Amino acid sequence: MEELISTKKHFSKLGWFYLTATGIILAVQLLMSLLINLFCPRILENMNINILLGMVPMYLAGFPLLVLMLNKQVPAQKPERHKMTAGQYILSAIICLGLAYAANIAGNILTTFIGLITGKPVENEILSVVDSLHPAVILLYMVICAPIVEEFIFRKLIVDRALRYGQGVAVVLSGLMFGLFHGNLNQFVYAAVIGMFLAFLYVKTGNLKITVSLHMLFNFIGGFLSSLLMKAINLEEYMEAATTGNMQAIMQQIMGNLGAWILYGLFTLFVICILIAGIVLFIVFAAKRKFTLDRGEVIIPKELKFNLIFANPGMLAFMLIWLVRIVIQLFV
């Protein structure tokens, strides 16, 4: 009985500390916004500066304090180190990308369906943001900084503190908290799926460099490379021509950017191939029971898992805050 109470307190602390970090990040963002609006409001009109300033509350305030709190208050257990061969890494990369694209499609279908019901299209925030960013900012933020920090915060810190309760608990918790932290439904679906797969790789290898590199690869292809190609084909100009239904204008637009359109077509073909290959490999490996998850030192009864891991004050508060934000993004 004491072990069960201790388990619930353990996960509640984890939720409270992540919620505290969230509050600090939002508070610092608000303070910075007020000061900038007071002294130099025109800065906020530049999305590149907005993104760079948004890194400050997370990377210099919220996340460092979170690490300090967790290291002092919540005990950790590192996964055992196991080597991964080059072939295993390539297969993992294909599965990771395939699952990510499949989950992204599922998320877009879900948000489109919700938009049809509400009569208000659900904006894909990440697409609108990336479209307005300079490639150097995308490279710095999405491809370099975000994968390193996010893998440490949402993979290592969470997995190390959930592992003694079982690899399955660590994998699911890491993915869900990572997905929720993105704050919108489009990203939640694929971030949760990627988060669980990367958490699986971390518990099996104990090597965070592997998950960081795969996270970088996905963000490079899905964020940096795709944004460059969409800008090269001048997608906005094409959509304007397409909405008019004027075939001559459409063909002129395509021929005027023919080289870029060819590259975009090859990129699209690559994504389709990766999507199919990743899903097929995932199904084959799942059928061969390659995704087995070991039990932990502390065995939580199945009927009590949800209650102890999620239905505690800290986790409920963390999840509620982010679910509310997701709902606001959908309906407001």
Side-chain angles (χ1 to χ4, degrees):
M1 186 63 179
E2 289 183 5
E3 187 71 62
L4 296 179
I5 294 173
S6 175
T7 298
K8 192 164 188 173
K9 288 182 178 179
H10 177 87
F11 287 105
S12 186
K13 278 186 180 179
L14 197 63
W16 281 126
F17 289 154
Y18 271 81
L19 180 61
T20 300
T22 299
I24 291 169
I25 290 169
L26 294 176
V28 175
Q29 285 177 339
L30 178 61
L31 178 60
M32 289 177 60
S33 179
L34 291 173
L35 290 174
I36 292 171
N37 274 314
L38 185 62
F39 295 106
C40 194
R42 295 187 63 182
I43 289 181
L44 296 178
E45 296 174 7
N46 189 313
M47 185 57 70
N48 294 289
I49 296 177
N50 259 316
I51 289 294
L52 295 175
L53 289 175
M55 295 168 64
V56 174
M58 285 193 291
Y59 297 169
L60 299 182
F63 288 161
L65 183 60
L66 174 63
V67 174
L68 184 63
M69 291 188 295
L70 289 176
N71 286 341
K72 285 190 174 184
Q73 298 293 328
V74 186
Q77 174 186 319
K78 296 180 181 179
E80 294 181 8
R81 296 273 296 198
H82 297 282
K83 289 185 178 180
M84 175 181 276
T85 65
Q88 290 172 328
Y89 181 86
I90 292 172
L91 290 175
S92 297
I94 295 172
I95 293 173
C96 181
L97 291 172
L99 289 176
Y101 284 122
N104 189 33
I105 292 170
N108 287 331
I109 291 173
L110 181 59
T111 52
T112 300
F113 180 71
I114 292 173
L116 291 173
I117 293 175
T118 60
K120 176 183 176 293
V122 179
E123 182 182 0
N124 191 328
E125 293 183 358
I126 188 65
L127 284 180
S128 58
V129 169
V130 170
D131 186 55
S132 59
L133 293 178
H134 189 279
V137 174
I138 299 174
L139 194 64
L140 173 65
Y141 176 61
M142 294 185 66
V143 181
I144 299 175
C145 295
I148 294 173
V149 175
E150 289 176 359
E151 287 307 304
F152 183 79
I153 297 296
F154 291 98
R155 224 67 61 214
K156 180 173 177 55
L157 292 185
I158 294 175
V159 168
D160 287 3
R161 284 157 181 82
L163 193 59
R164 69 189 300 257
Y165 302 97
Q167 292 182 347
V169 172
V171 166
V172 172
L173 190 65
S174 172
L176 286 179
M177 292 182 72
F178 180 57
L180 285 170
F181 192 82
H182 283 75
N184 63 82
L185 189 58
N186 297 87
Q187 287 181 282
F188 168 77
V189 178
Y190 72 76
V193 170
I194 295 174
M196 289 183 196
F197 183 73
L198 293 179
F200 169 80
L201 293 179
Y202 177 58
V203 302
K204 291 301 183 183
T205 65
N207 189 346
L208 199 68
K209 292 178 182 178
I210 291 172
T211 68
V212 169
S213 63
L214 289 177
H215 197 151
M216 285 181 169
L217 176 64
F218 172 69
N219 282 9
F220 175 81
I221 295 173
F224 180 74
L225 189 57
S226 63
S227 68
L228 284 184
L229 289 172
M230 283 192 289
K231 288 176 181 177
I233 64 175
N234 202 339
L235 186 60
E236 187 175 334
E237 182 183 271
Y238 171 80
M239 292 305 296
E240 288 178 2
T243 53
T244 63
N246 187 331
M247 289 303 300
Q248 184 177 355
I250 294 172
M251 291 305 300
Q252 285 180 346
Q253 200 283 332
I254 293 174
M255 295 306 295
N257 303 279
L258 185 59
W261 273 104
I262 292 173
L263 290 176
Y264 187 76
L266 293 173
F267 175 76
T268 303
L269 181 62
F270 166 79
V271 169
I272 293 172
C273 291
I274 285 290
L275 170 64
I276 296 171
I279 297 303
V280 170
L281 284 173
F282 178 80
I283 293 172
V284 169
F285 284 178
K288 292 183 177 181
R289 299 185 181 277
K290 297 293 186 180
F291 299 120
T292 55
L293 295 164
D294 300 334
R295 303 175 78 178
E297 295 175 3
V298 178
I299 307 300
I300 305 175
K302 286 184 178 180
E303 65 274 14
L304 295 178
K305 274 191 175 180
F306 181 81
N307 182 45
L308 298 181
I309 298 169
F310 297 105
N312 56 68
M315 278 296 170
L316 284 175
F318 173 82
M319 291 188 296
L320 181 62
I321 289 296
W322 285 105
L323 284 172
V324 167
R325 182 163 181 175
I326 290 174
V327 171
I328 290 173
Q329 181 255 343
L330 287 174
F331 297 104
V332 176

